[in-house]
Amino acid sequence: MTEKIKITDYFSAHINGEHRTALTAILNDVITACKKIAIAIDSGALEGTMHNLSSENVQGEVQKALDVITNEIFIESAQTSGYVVGMASEEMEEIIQLDEDISPNGQYLLLFDPLDGSSNVNVNISVGTIFSILKSPGAMPVLADFLQPGSQQICAGYALYGTSTMLVLTIGNGVHGFTLDNELGEFYLTHANMQVPADTQEFAINMSNYRFWQAPIQRYIDECLQGEEGDREKDFNMRWVASMVAEIHRILVRGGVFMYPMDSKIKKQGGKLRLLYEANPMSFIMEQAGGLSTTGHMRILELVPSALHQRVPVIMGSKHEVERIATYHGKTKR
Ligand code: AHG
Ligand code: MN
Ligand code: MN
């Protein structure tokens, strides 16, 4: 059997260029955060942390105790490297600026969703953590510094707390997945150069929203459901975990298309998923794995954000299906 490659050895061999030292240090903190979050989730029922809180987050969503706990773990862990000067999270209304004594080398911004799919946490279904790393334009970052298009990301990744704990990330040279060896407390490379198949017969969408969708999505799903008897002349399968991380991971492994499109119920808020710490990092990963990601009308990575917690419609996954759905929207821009 060939020797297993530790995540830190992988970084030493593959992270090059101007961000090398900083990125390696920041990712070490992210690894620590994800290991601690895995333990917090694993012991949630035993520790009594699976309940809802009476508080809501900035998005007006009910918070679970673990939303808050995992947010605190991430913030604390990410202060070791000294390179992170600002943070933003789904669970915090405002950005965090780190003082010079905590971030003497601070040049980077870390954006994250500490617990993705948190409605699944107390029913023992997979959840995740999503993160995105940007270069900070200024020494003391302000809100505007976080509002960079996703194409500016230096690194993006997610942890999946599933049948095993995995860390999957891109630094712009493909997508690589690492699995946690619980006994050794170490992530090892298990999924090198993940590639999303261009064709698929599997889609993921919350079907209960059918009547609120716009015509292009209804048309696409109708055709999938007609299967062999319709224009597509093939049957489709459906999955909906309600944890974006789990859906995207499945698509990276075996293909598929994931959609949380615009619908009339969520139109006012711009969509369901958040651009900066859900849609952008996942779009970067998806494109690096050979897939596509669009709002239906434009490439998500080219959107210029206007607010920290901005939401967007998301359609991503296997190239040929995403292209088809974009065509149904009257595609103007990839
Ligand atoms: P979060 O738990 O971070 O708020 O994100 C949940 C998101 C995403 O992970 C998932 O795809 C979607 O919300 C599920 O939404 P529905 O409950 O509307 O299906
Ligand atoms: Mn989320
Ligand atoms: Mn979340």
Side-chain angles (χ1 to χ4, degrees):
M1 202 177 120
T2 49
E3 198 166 331
K4 290 192 292 179
I5 301 169
K6 274 187 202 169
I7 194 167
T8 43
D9 293 340
Y10 184 88
F11 292 161
S12 312
H14 291 90
I15 303 183
N16 296 308
E18 56 167 323
H19 304 299
R20 180 183 164 91
T21 313
L23 205 49
T24 305
I26 296 169
L27 286 173
N28 277 331
D29 285 355
V30 170
I31 291 170
T32 305
C34 294
K35 282 186 204 167
K36 288 185 174 172
I37 290 173
I39 292 168
I41 292 166
D42 193 40
S43 57
L46 298 167
E47 299 281 339
T49 55
M50 290 295 194
H51 57 282
N52 288 345
L53 300 176
S54 52
S55 58
E56 284 183 349
N57 67 8
V58 55
Q59 339 262 343
E61 295 165 342
V62 174
Q63 275 183 314
K64 288 217 150 53
L66 274 165
D67 281 315
V68 175
I69 293 167
T70 55
N71 190 52
E72 281 164 4
I73 292 173
F74 210 97
I75 293 168
E76 199 199 315
S77 306
Q79 296 186 25
T80 310
S81 76
Y83 284 95
V84 176
V85 73
M87 294 191 223
S89 160
E90 176 183 310
E91 303 305 328
M92 301 183 299
E93 184 161 8
E94 314 271 351
I95 59 162
I96 298 185
Q97 301 167 319
L98 298 179
D99 295 338
E100 222 199 317
D101 53 329
I102 297 173
S103 66
N105 318 308
Q107 297 155 24
Y108 294 85
L109 307 176
L110 188 55
L111 297 84
F112 51 92
D113 172 359
L115 188 59
D116 175 63
S118 61
S119 72
N120 279 329
V121 81
N122 62 329
V123 291
N124 214 338
I125 291 176
S126 299
V127 292
T129 297
I130 310 173
F131 68 93
S132 163
I133 301 174
L134 295 167
K135 187 97 198 321
S136 176
M140 188 47 82
V142 293
L143 171 61
D145 295 337
F146 288 77
L147 306 181
Q148 303 180 36
S151 56
Q152 299 291 317
Q153 291 171 103
I154 290 159
C155 174
Y158 62 80
L160 171 61
Y161 314 104
T163 46
S164 28
T165 293
M166 285 195 68
L167 198 56
V168 174
L169 55 88
T170 184
I171 50 172
N173 65 350
V175 178
H176 310 287
F178 303 84
T179 302
L180 183 64
D181 181 324
N182 279 311
E183 274 174 43
L184 301 176
E186 193 73 70
F187 281 98
Y188 290 94
L189 179 67
T190 48
H191 296 60
N193 202 22
M194 300 177 85
Q195 288 287 319
V196 178
D199 291 299
T200 182
Q201 287 174 234
E202 195 162 74
F203 64 88
I205 196 164
N206 184 336
M207 280 294 295
S208 69
N209 293 323
Y210 182 95
R211 74 182 192 279
F212 304 110
W213 296 336
Q214 296 172 338
I217 296 292
Q218 287 184 336
R219 174 184 169 191
Y220 177 75
I221 296 298
D222 285 346
E223 290 176 357
C224 290
L225 298 179
Q226 285 153 11
E228 272 189 354
E229 291 153 34
D231 287 352
R232 299 299 307 270
E233 297 177 340
K234 57 182 184 179
D235 289 336
F236 280 77
N237 187 26
M238 194 201 91
R239 288 287 184 273
W240 188 248
V241 185
S243 285
M244 187 190 198
V245 169
E247 323 273 9
I248 298 307
H249 187 71
R250 185 186 61 248
I251 291 171
L252 287 179
V253 171
R254 70 178 190 207
V257 54
F258 169 85
M259 287 163 277
Y260 215 115
M262 183 58 80
D263 73 44
S264 56
K265 237 183 357 171
I266 54 177
K267 195 155 193 218
K268 259 200 209 131
Q269 60 189 49
K272 163 86 181 187
L273 298 170
R274 282 57 55 116
L275 176 59
L276 289 175
Y277 41 81
E278 291 179 320
N280 271 345
M282 291 310 205
S283 298
F284 189 19
I285 290 169
M286 195 52 73
E287 289 196 5
Q288 283 291 317
L292 289 181
S293 178
T294 175
T295 61
H297 297 286
M298 90 176 266
R299 186 177 168 228
I300 286 182
L301 291 179
E302 284 173 22
L303 289 171
V304 180
S306 55
L308 194 62
H309 299 288
Q310 182 176 344
R311 297 176 191 250
V312 287
V314 172
I315 298 157
M316 63 169 78
S318 292
K319 185 169 180 278
H320 294 155
E321 291 304 301
V322 177
E323 279 172 349
R324 173 184 287 270
I325 299 163
T327 307
Y328 291 1
H329 282 79
K331 177 171 106 167
T332 47
K333 211 169 171 189
R334 196 192 86 141

